[in-house]
């Protein structure tokens, strides 16, 4: 099988070194990213950054970043403090930000408890995600407003309704140049990093966490992670689907193919594998270890009936010669109905 729009991306050697040797990101990138502008690229990518800047200068950003994008994979999302990932959502009817706590067991429609409102007035945000950016093992809310300012609302330390989150702190500006944003602890230092795809390109960048929340010094300068075809992917997120201890890039193409990019396969080139077809019928996607087995699972909302479904990891990674890995995810299980009331699910 040949995936349409085959990813021609190449893992940058500095990033591979981080994964293989555990070298700190700070040692590899010293500049601080105040904004995701291409001019902030590390010197090794200066020529590439200039070309991106030329394209970005003529972009008209979409009104809202894709809300299908996962924000923290299966490594973050714990709002209640029980060590299990919860679902963060924005109510489309009133802009309320709310959390669906995990019940502590994987049991179909009883897996998630009723929603708890944690804040108000989020209807105008361009993008909302979650991730542990300060290393306290609790989920913080990361968000971008319509002007492109990125903020983090840190967890207060207690899951207590509207007292769950502290006030938002600005950590960057200029984020309207991206049409996909998500978070993941890419280098395994216990702090979630931010990843983003530049609008109008197939380029995905990583902004390493600089050591915790510290205003505009929170994120390091962006590094080019992957280059790929333009306009192919409608979703990106991260999780270790192959079981090799290294995160993989999960993506969904606009033709409904879901696949992963395995950074460790085939030398520095990496490899693409298909996990399944028909994902154009799913209009919201996030990752969470919903069955608490240590592996990333896919949660998806069906467009046809607004049901939230779980596609749990089988624990098997056995790609075939034609680069399909259809045994990776199990058949879907119903988690809940009526999820069309939310226009962000993460």
């Amino acid at each position: 099988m040949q995936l349409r729009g085959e990813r021609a991306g190449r893992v940058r050697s500095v990033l591979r070194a981080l994964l293989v040797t555990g070298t700190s990101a700070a040692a590899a990138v010293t500049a601080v990213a105040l904004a995701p502008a291409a001019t902030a690229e590390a010197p090794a990518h200066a020529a590439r950054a200039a070309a991106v800047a030329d394209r970005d200068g003529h972009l008209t950003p979409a009104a809202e970043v894709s809300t299908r994008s996962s924000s923290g994979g299966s490594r973050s999302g714990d709002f209640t403090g029980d060590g299990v990932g919860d679902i963060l959502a924005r109510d489309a009817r009133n802009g309320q930000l709310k959390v669906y706590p995990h019940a502590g067991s994987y049991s179909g429609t009883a897996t998630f408890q009723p929603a708890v409102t944690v804040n108000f007035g989020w209807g105008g945000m361009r993008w909302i995600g979650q991730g542990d950016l300060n290393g306290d093992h609790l989920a913080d809310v990361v968000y971008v407003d319509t002007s492109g300012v990125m903020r983090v609302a840190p967890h207060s330390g207690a899951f207590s309704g509207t007292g769950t989150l502290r006030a938002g702190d600005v950590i960057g500006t200029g984020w309207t140049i991206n049409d996909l944003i998500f978070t993941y602890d890419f280098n395994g230092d216990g702090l979630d990093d931010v990843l983003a795809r530049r609008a109008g390109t197939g380029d995905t960048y990583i902004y390493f966490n600089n050591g915790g929340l510290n205003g505009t010094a929170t994120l390091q300068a962006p590094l080019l992670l992957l280059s790929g075809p333009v306009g192919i992917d409608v979703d990106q997120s991260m999780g270790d689907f192959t079981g090799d201890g290294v995160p993989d890039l999960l993506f969904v193409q606009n033709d409904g193919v879901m696949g992963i990019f395995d950074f460790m396969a085939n030398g520095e080139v990496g490899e693409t594998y298909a996990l399944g077809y028909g994902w154009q019928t799913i209009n919201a996607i996030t990752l969470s270890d919903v069955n608490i087995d240590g592996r990333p699972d896919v949660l998806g909302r069906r467009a046809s009936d607004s049901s939230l479904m779980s596609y749990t990891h089988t624990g098997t990674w056995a790609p075939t010669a034609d680069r399909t890995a259809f045994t990776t995810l199990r058949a879907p299980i119903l988690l809940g109905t009526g999820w069309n009331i939310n226009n962000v699910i993460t």
Side-chain angles (χ1 to χ4, degrees), residues 219-277:
L219 301 178
Q220 297 182 14
L223 284 171
L224 181 62
L225 180 64
L226 284 174
S227 294
V230 179
I232 296 297
D233 296 350
V234 296
D235 185 81
Q236 292 182 1
S237 50
M238 275 196 161
D240 180 12
F241 286 86
T242 62
D244 62 1
V246 176
D248 309 298
L249 183 76
L250 181 79
F251 62 90
V252 178
Q253 296 184 167
N254 55 18
D255 60 359
V257 174
M258 173 180 278
I260 68 159
F261 185 81
D262 180 2
F263 290 91
M264 300 302 288
N266 198 18
E268 286 191 4
V269 178
E271 190 61 87
T272 302
Y273 302 95
L275 300 185
Y277 298 97

Side-chain angles (χ1 to χ4, degrees), residues 48-223:
R48 173 68 176 173
V52 174
D54 290 341
R55 293 197 298 270
D56 288 343
H58 298 89
L59 289 178
T60 302
E64 185 169 344
V65 176
S66 171
T67 56
R68 295 173 51 141
S69 173
S70 170
S71 83
S74 58
R75 290 198 177 189
S76 62
D78 180 16
F79 284 91
T80 62
D82 62 357
V84 184
D86 311 301
I87 294 179
L88 178 71
R90 179 178 64 186
D91 197 309
R93 302 165 298 181
N94 52 29
Q96 290 183 10
L97 196 65
K98 53 192 184 180
V99 171
Y100 293 82
H102 197 291
S105 62
Y106 179 54
S107 52
T109 57
T111 301
F112 290 98
Q113 300 172 2
V116 176
T117 298
V118 296
N119 218 311
F120 300 92
W122 289 71
M125 297 304 166
R126 187 169 183 264
W127 174 77
I128 300 170
Q130 58 172 304
D132 181 9
L133 271 74
N134 58 6
D136 64 357
H137 307 294
L138 294 169
D140 311 307
V141 177
V142 191
Y143 58 103
V144 177
D145 65 21
T146 54
S147 67
V149 176
M150 177 177 278
R151 293 179 173 86
V152 175
H155 199 291
S156 67
F159 183 61
S160 56
T162 56
T164 302
L165 301 175
R166 296 193 179 99
D169 297 324
V170 174
I171 65 169
T173 59
W175 285 81
T176 55
I177 67 172
N178 298 309
D179 62 2
L180 276 173
I181 304 171
F182 54 104
T183 70
Y184 195 81
D185 182 9
F186 190 82
N187 57 358
D189 64 353
L191 299 166
D192 276 326
D193 311 301
V194 178
L195 297 98
R197 185 184 65 190
R198 296 289 165 80
T201 79
D203 299 336
T204 298
Y205 290 81
I206 186 166
Y207 302 77
F208 281 110
N209 193 311
N210 211 28
L213 287 177
N214 185 25
T216 54
T218 298
L219 301 178
Q220 297 182 14
L223 284 171

Side-chain angles (χ1 to χ4, degrees), residues 295-312:
R295 302 182 182 93
D297 308 311
V298 179
L299 308 186
R301 182 181 61 191
R302 287 178 172 168
S304 60
D305 59 8
S306 300
S307 297
L308 186 68
M309 313 298 295
S310 63
Y311 304 77
T312 58

